[in-house]
Every structure is written in structure tokens, then in C-alpha cells.
Amino acid sequence: KQEVTQIPAALSVPEGENLVLNCSFTDSAIYNLQWFRQDPGKGLTSLLLIQSSQREQTSGRLNASLDKSSGRSTLYIAASQPGDSATYLCAVSHSNYQLIWGAGTKLIIKP
Amino acid sequence: ETGVTQSPTHLIKTRGQQVTLRCSSQSGHNTVSWYQQALGQGPQFIFQYYREEENGRGNFPPRFSGLQFPNYSSELNVNALELDDSALYLCASSVGTGEVYEQYFGPGTRLTVT
């Protein structure tokens, strides 16, 4: 059974710092991995999608890496800003229709 | 904005009642998936509909049912509501049902069962 874990559960850092969020999964037979952002009481915004054949994806200040063999992904946020404060979730596509999710990392960027 | 809309935004129901949640897919998308997100947790997959047929189901009881219409909009129905059904319900649409198709999420419906 695929399980997705995100560490840490919460993180608070000063504005301007670079930071790394971690995601691990137990079954390496994934099709892709996605990172999402969720603002309080809101839906999900897709940030980056990494196909199983890829090693990383970049979008602006965000960089996500994928190591299937070790069951790990990281989301790197450069030069953090208060507007980056949100909960970040990772999800793996384990079949052709189902996403399996971690519980998220709640990120607070202090001005 | 993803183009996926959900209604209503918030809903309060009493235990034992029935509820219908609605989702309008992004234009050109023929697949919709529904997820339940309890407070402080990641979403849990409920089921997926592809071209009006159920295409896969997570570990949810039969009182959770769905429909997809010819215009690919969708409904989630929950009968005999329980307190644990209180959650954010998210729908996501995609161009197809394969793993290569990215899912686009709506803003969700917050259901409170008292």
C-alpha cells in the first residue's frame, strides 16, 4: 500500500531564506509526483508536476526533484516571501486515476 | 484560476441527512475525480468518472455515490451523513484518465455535519 509522508509538518522561517520541504513515498512504482499549494480554506493550486522519467522541474523560485529509487522528493523554495505562506502538499500518481497524498507541510514566512 | 467550479461553497447538514455537491469541469475535460480532505490531512480519493462512467473508486462506502453528465459536469451524493463526513470536498478535472493527464482542482465545498 502506497504511503506518502511529508516532513516537517510545520515550518516557520524568516523572509528571504531558502528552504527545503521533503516528501517520501513507500512504493517507487509511481507515474508522476506533484507538488501543490493550499491556502487556508481554499482549494489546491498545482505548482510542479514531475513525470517518473524526470529528475526535476523548475518554475520561478521553485525547484522540485524526484528520486524514485529512494522514494523521495524535495521542493526547494528560493528567497522565501511572506506570500509563500501556505500548506504545501505532495501527491503521487499510483495508478492511472488515483492521487495519493501526504498530509502537508504548513509553511509560515515571517516578515 | 483553474476553470473548475464547485457549489455550494459551504454547507451545514444534520447527521442522517443527504447532500449533493456539484462540480463544473474545465472546458474540454472529460474526466472528473472527487476527493475528501479532513482537517489537517491530505485529500483522500473517493472516485473518478470518465465519460459518464465510474472509472475507479477509493475506500469509501456505497453511501458515497456520483454522477457525471453529458457536459462532463459532476455530482457527489452522500447519504445518511455521519459526523466524520465533515470535510472539504474537492473535485478535479482532467483531459483524460491516464496518469499523464494533470488534474485541475476546484476551490472545494466545505461540508459540516452536526
Side-chain angles (χ1 to χ4, degrees):
Chain A
K1 178 186 172 186
Q2 177 73 275
E3 293 183 358
V4 180
T5 304
Q6 292 187 246
I7 295 173
L11 183 63
S12 180
V13 301
E15 179 180 4
E17 282 200 6
N18 303 324
L19 56 98
V20 175
L21 306 181
N22 297 292
C23 172
S24 62
F25 46 95
T26 54
D27 187 342
S28 62
I30 64 170
Y31 293 104
N32 59 49
L33 183 145
Q34 287 184 258
W35 283 93
F36 292 85
R37 169 186 173 137
Q38 187 170 36
D39 292 281
K42 300 288 182 62
L44 297 159
T45 301
S46 179
L47 299 173
L48 291 163
L49 183 151
I50 311 176
Q51 300 290 354
S52 61
S53 58
Q54 298 175 318
R55 296 284 291 182
E56 65 177 338
Q57 283 284 342
T58 298
S59 176
R61 295 183 293 109
L62 305 179
N63 176 276
S65 68
L66 174 63
D67 184 343
K68 268 183 55 176
S69 60
S70 67
R72 295 177 188 274
S73 176
T74 61
L75 177 66
Y76 175 82
I77 303 176
S80 58
Q81 304 170 357
D84 295 330
S85 297
T87 296
Y88 290 80
L89 297 118
C90 71
V92 298
S93 177
H94 189 57
S95 69
N96 67 350
Y97 55 78
Q98 182 176 167
L99 290 176
I100 299 176
W101 301 75
T105 294
K106 184 176 182 179
L107 177 63
I108 297 173
I109 307 297
K110 296 174 289 187
Chain B
E1 296 268 331
T2 63
V4 180
T5 60
Q6 293 186 244
S7 63
T9 305
H10 296 89
L11 201 53
I12 300 175
K13 289 285 190 179
T14 302
R15 189 172 53 181
Q17 286 187 318
Q18 178 267 342
V19 68
T20 297
L21 311 181
R22 294 177 174 82
C23 173
S24 178
S25 301
Q26 186 169 325
S27 178
H29 289 189
N30 58 20
T31 303
V32 65
S33 302
W34 285 91
Y35 295 84
Q36 180 196 67
Q37 185 178 23
L39 199 61
Q41 299 181 22
Q44 298 287 319
F45 174 74
I46 304 175
F47 45 56
Q48 181 186 83
Y49 277 80
Y50 170 64
R51 293 186 174 180
E52 303 179 57
E53 297 286 332
E54 186 177 293
N55 187 50
R57 189 178 184 94
N59 189 27
F60 279 81
R63 60 188 185 85
F64 285 78
S65 62
L67 280 174
Q68 188 180 31
F69 300 99
N71 66 355
Y72 301 131
S73 65
S74 176
E75 286 183 355
L76 164 65
N77 298 290
V78 187
N79 294 323
L81 283 167
E82 301 177 359
L83 296 179
D84 285 349
D85 296 333
S86 295
L88 180 68
Y89 288 84
L90 298 159
C91 78
S93 71
S94 55
V95 171
T97 185
E99 65 279 2
V100 297
Y101 298 114
E102 187 172 351
Q103 296 186 22
Y104 296 84
F105 285 81
T109 292
R110 173 74 61 186
L111 172 65
T112 302
V113 182
T114 61

